[in-house]
Amino acid sequence: MAKSEIHPKWYPEAKVYCNGQVVMTVGSTKPELHVDVWSGNHPFYTGTQKIIDTEGRVERFMRKYGMFEGQTTGGRKKK
């Protein structure tokens, strides 16, 4: 059986705030929760996520390991 007076107070209607606005209510041991990111403004969930390949990572990898014809790797030419 659970001991009394050792558990924190439970708030079944705790408010979650993001940028000063209430975004949801949840159960918590704190009456208010302040968050920077939640599923409503996170790029992964909103579909606004952009994958930027500014340096051409694939091309840089291919060049580094000599997978392009005519590129040099360590002073040797790849055929």
Side-chain angles (χ1 to χ4, degrees), residues 3-4 11 16 26 28 32 35 37 40 44-46 48 52 56 62 64-65 72 75-76 78-79:
K3 293 183 180 181
S4 61
Y11 298 94
V16 179
V26 296
S28 176
E32 292 182 354
V35 297
V37 178
F44 180 79
Y45 297 107
T46 59
T48 59
I52 301 172
M62 300 285 265
K64 180 178 179 180
Y65 292 103
T72 60
R76 293 182 290 163
K78 198 80 166 164
K79 290 185 180 182

Side-chain angles (χ1 to χ4, degrees), residues 7 23 27 54 60 71:
H7 299 286
V23 293
T54 57
R60 191 177 69 203
Q71 295 291 326

Side-chain angles (χ1 to χ4, degrees), residues 3-58:
K3 293 183 180 181
S4 61
E5 304 301 321
I6 65 166
H7 299 286
K9 182 171 168 68
W10 182 253
Y11 298 94
E13 296 292 321
K15 306 270 189 250
V16 179
Y17 292 91
C18 184
N19 295 329
Q21 297 179 0
V22 177
V23 293
M24 67 178 84
T25 58
V26 296
S28 176
T29 58
K30 296 185 178 188
E32 292 182 354
L33 301 167
H34 296 271
V35 297
D36 294 328
V37 178
W38 66 293
S39 60
N41 67 355
H42 192 278
F44 180 79
Y45 297 107
T46 59
T48 59
Q49 184 175 16
K50 295 179 183 177
I51 299 173
I52 301 172
D53 186 20
T54 57
E55 294 184 41
R57 292 180 182 177
V58 174

